[in-house]
Amino acid sequence: MRRESSIHGQWSSKLVFVLAATGSAVGLGNIWRFPYIAGENGGGAFVLIYLACILLIGLPIMMAEIALGRRGRQSPINTMATLSREEGLHRAWGFVGWLGVAAGFIILSYYSVIAGWSLSYVFRAAGGAFTGLDADGVRGMFNALVSDPERLLAWHTLFMIMNVLVVARGVRSGLEKAVKFLMPALFGLLLLLVGYSMSQGHFMEGVSFLFKPDWSEVSGDTILLAMGQAFFTLSLGMGAIMIYGSYLSSKASILKTSATVVSADTAVALLAGLAIFPIVFASGLAPGEGPGLIFITLPMAFAEMPGGLIFGTLFFLLLVTAAWTSSISLMEPAVAWLAENRGFDRPMAAVIVGGIAWFLGLGTILSFSLWSNPIGFSLTIGGEATFIGGTLFEMADYLTSNIMLPLGGLLIALFVGWRMTQRSVEDELDLRSRVLFRAWYYVLRFAAPIGILLVFLKAVNLI
Ligand code: TRP
C-alpha cells in the first residue's frame, strides 16, 4: 500500500528534504557536543569508534527510519501502529513511537538551554565582550553565565518561543528558505575557523588528538558514548527523521538522500573538532573541559583574529540557527501526534509541546547552579564503588543519547529487518541495485542490531 502524502503536508522537493534532514542532523550535537565528549574521552579512539557507528549503524538505520516514515505517512506513533497492522504484527510496536516522543521531550528540554547559551554568546560577541580575554577570562565569563539561573531562564524561554513559532506554522513555510542559506554559511565559517586554527601552530596536535587512537583508554562506556553520539548527531532513534521521511515524495532515493545527510553531518562534526582542539592546545586548556568547551575556546580565537568581532557574531548566530533547525525536528513527532489524535491545530499543539519541554528544561538550568551537586547512588561491584547518577542535565543527556536513542534504533532495525516482509521493505526502499539492497538489508538485520546489543552488554561489563 502506498500513501502518497501526509495530512501535515509534503516537502516541495527532494532537495528540501535533504536540507531539512541535514538541518535536523547538524546542530549543537556537531559543534558543541561532539568536541566536548570526544575531549572528555581521550579523542582518537573515541572518534574512530564514532565514525564506525555512523557508517555501520547510523546510515542503515537512517534509511530504515525514512522508509518507515514514508510508508506510514503519519506521526511515528501512528506510523508504527499502522504499519504493524498492515504487516499483521503486534500493536505493541507502537511503543517505539512513544519511546521516541519521550526522548524528544527530554532532549529538547536541555537542548534549548544550551541553545540559550549560544544566543547569549551572539550578543557577547557582537558587543566585543571577548576582547583581551585569556583562558581564565573566558572561563570566568562562561561560569558566570551558567551559574545565573535567571539569565539562563530568559534565553531558554526565548529559544523555546522561537521553536514554537516555526513549528506552529508548519514545516514548509519559513524553514525551507532559511535552511538553504544558513547551512552553507555555517559550513563556510567553520572552514574559516579551521584555517585560523591551522595558523596557530598547534594544528597537528589537534589533528593527532582527534585521529590518533589510544586503544588502552577505551572502556565499555567510551564505546557506548561514541555510539550515543552517532545516534544523537544523526537525529536517529526517536522518530525525527522518520517524520521528516513522511513528508518525502515517493520518488526520491532514500539511499542517496541518507548518504548526503550523513556525509554533511560528519563533515561538520570533524571540522568543528579541527577548529577547536588546536585552540585548546595553543592556549594550554584541557580537552576534557566539559560542556563549556566551545564557549571557552572559540571566544579566544575570535578575540585575536582580525575581523573577530564580525566572525564571532556570525558564528554564534549560525550556531543558534543550526540548533533551531534541529530542535524543531525534536518537536515535530509529538506535535504531529497531537494534531492527528487529539484534534489540536498546529499552533496549539506546538505550544503544548514547547511548554512541556520548557518546564522540563528548568531542571537543566538549575543543574549548573542550585542543583549542581550530583544525585544518584553508589554501587559496589567487585570491591570498587561506582557512582551512578549526576546532575539532572547529565542524567537527561546520558539516558536519552546513550540508552533511549540506541534502543529506539535497535527496535527500528528489528522491525524493518525482521518483522516487516521483505517485499514491503524492498518496495519502499526502491533501490535499483540488488547488490546494494542486499548489502543494506544484511547490515540492518545483523550488523546494526548485534552491534548495538554488544555495545550495551559491554557498557554494563557483561562481556
Ligand atoms: N541531531 C541534532 C544535533 O546534532 C539534535 C537532534 C535533532 C536530535 N533531532 C534529534 C537528536 C532527534 C536525537 C534525536 O544537534
Side-chain angles (χ1 to χ4, degrees):
M1 229 262 290
R2 209 151 208 194
R3 279 164 288 263
E4 286 301 325
S5 66
S6 147
I7 60 161
H8 308 288
Q10 185 146 333
W11 304 113
S12 46
S13 72
K14 184 179 81 184
L15 175 69
V16 168
F17 166 77
V18 172
L19 287 171
T22 307
S24 166
V26 174
L28 296 172
N30 308 60
I31 297 167
W32 160 73
R33 197 175 189 277
F34 171 72
Y36 103 74
I37 303 266
E40 282 182 339
N41 289 281
F46 171 92
V47 174
L48 295 182
I49 301 169
Y50 151 81
L51 290 173
C53 291
I54 291 275
L55 209 64
L56 276 178
I57 301 176
L59 178 65
I61 290 184
M62 179 175 290
M63 293 170 64
E65 258 201 48
I66 298 175
L68 284 177
R70 191 165 74 173
R71 204 168 180 77
R73 296 268 188 220
Q74 297 158 72
S75 64
I77 293 175
N78 288 325
T79 284
M80 291 307 292
T82 307
L83 294 183
S84 317
R85 201 174 329 109
E86 275 175 21
E87 303 277 331
L89 304 170
H90 200 284
R91 39 187 294 222
W93 282 103
F95 169 73
V96 176
W98 288 105
L99 180 73
V101 166
F105 273 118
I106 305 175
I107 297 175
L108 180 61
S109 76
Y110 71 81
Y111 203 85
S112 168
V113 175
I114 314 292
W117 299 356
S118 318
L119 263 174
S120 121
Y121 269 64
V122 173
F123 294 92
R124 285 159 194 238
F130 307 147
T131 322
L133 291 184
D134 58 2
D136 287 334
V138 276
R139 192 188 283 109
M141 183 188 214
F142 175 73
N143 289 338
L145 171 69
V146 298
S147 56
D148 183 346
E150 285 161 26
R151 222 187 291 172
L152 293 188
L153 180 64
W155 293 117
H156 167 57
T157 308
L158 177 63
F159 186 75
M160 199 60 90
I161 292 174
M162 289 163 54
N163 287 320
V164 170
L165 286 179
V166 172
V167 177
R169 285 160 163 258
V171 177
R172 193 156 171 176
S173 49
L175 206 85
E176 286 197 7
K177 284 171 227 126
V179 182
K180 267 184 219 166
F181 289 104
L182 297 165
M183 286 296 144
L186 180 71
F187 208 78
L189 262 183
L190 272 175
L191 281 177
L192 178 98
L193 274 175
V194 173
Y196 172 81
S197 275
M198 282 177 140
S199 70
Q200 292 308 293
H202 289 258
F203 191 67
M204 286 324 287
E205 240 175 290
V207 172
S208 83
F209 179 78
L210 264 184
F211 296 110
K212 212 168 135 219
D214 176 0
W215 299 109
S216 67
E217 290 283 312
V218 174
S219 69
D221 209 41
T222 316
I223 305 176
L224 183 68
L225 291 169
M227 180 173 77
Q229 173 60 21
F231 274 94
F232 188 92
T233 192
L234 294 176
S235 303
L236 291 180
M238 61 73 68
I241 291 294
M242 195 187 295
I243 193 141
Y244 275 19
S246 76
Y247 308 146
L248 176 65
S249 137
S250 306
K251 290 187 220 90
S253 154
I254 292 182
L255 173 65
K256 277 191 215 148
T257 48
S258 307
T260 313
V261 175
V262 169
S263 316
D265 185 80
T266 308
V268 172
L270 296 180
L271 281 178
L274 287 175
I276 284 155
F277 287 109
I279 303 174
V280 168
F281 295 117
S283 51
L285 287 166
E289 188 74 42
L293 185 66
I294 64 161
F295 297 95
I296 293 169
T297 47
L298 294 181
M300 282 191 288
F302 294 129
E304 277 176 27
M305 70 168 73
L309 199 77
I310 296 169
F311 291 135
T313 312
L314 260 177
F315 175 82
F316 285 108
L317 203 60
L318 290 169
L319 183 61
V320 168
T321 317
W324 198 4
T325 57
S326 297
S327 49
I328 53 167
S329 74
L330 284 162
M331 294 179 74
E332 187 64 18
V335 168
W337 182 80
L338 282 177
E340 285 163 12
N341 286 46
R342 290 286 176 269
F344 290 113
D345 55 12
R346 281 193 70 96
M348 193 58 204
V351 168
I352 294 173
V353 172
I356 297 174
W358 176 86
F359 179 75
L360 293 176
L362 303 182
T364 289
I365 289 183
L366 294 174
S367 293
F368 295 94
S369 47
L370 282 178
W371 295 350
S372 62
N373 287 329
I375 43 175
F377 52 89
S378 285
L379 201 67
T380 311
I381 313 168
E384 221 185 299
T386 323
F387 181 76
I388 298 183
T391 62
L392 274 182
F393 158 68
E394 286 164 343
M395 287 197 280
D397 180 59
Y398 194 95
L399 177 73
T400 48
S401 306
N402 304 326
I403 298 168
M404 292 171 90
L405 299 179
L407 181 62
L410 174 65
L411 293 173
I412 288 169
L414 294 178
F415 185 80
V416 177
W418 294 93
R419 303 304 291 148
M420 281 172 80
T421 61
Q422 185 172 340
R423 264 194 70 186
S424 318
V425 178
E426 275 193 274
D427 172 53
E428 195 56 52
L429 213 68
D430 205 14
L431 267 180
R432 244 156 257 145
S433 147
R434 286 287 313 152
V435 181
L436 275 181
F437 177 80
R438 290 254 168 105
W440 169 80
Y441 203 46
Y442 188 82
V443 175
L444 189 77
R445 285 165 65 103
F446 298 100
I450 293 174
I452 297 172
L453 275 174
L454 287 180
V455 177
F456 276 156
L457 292 176
K458 178 91 185 139
V460 292
N461 290 325
L462 279 176
I463 50 170

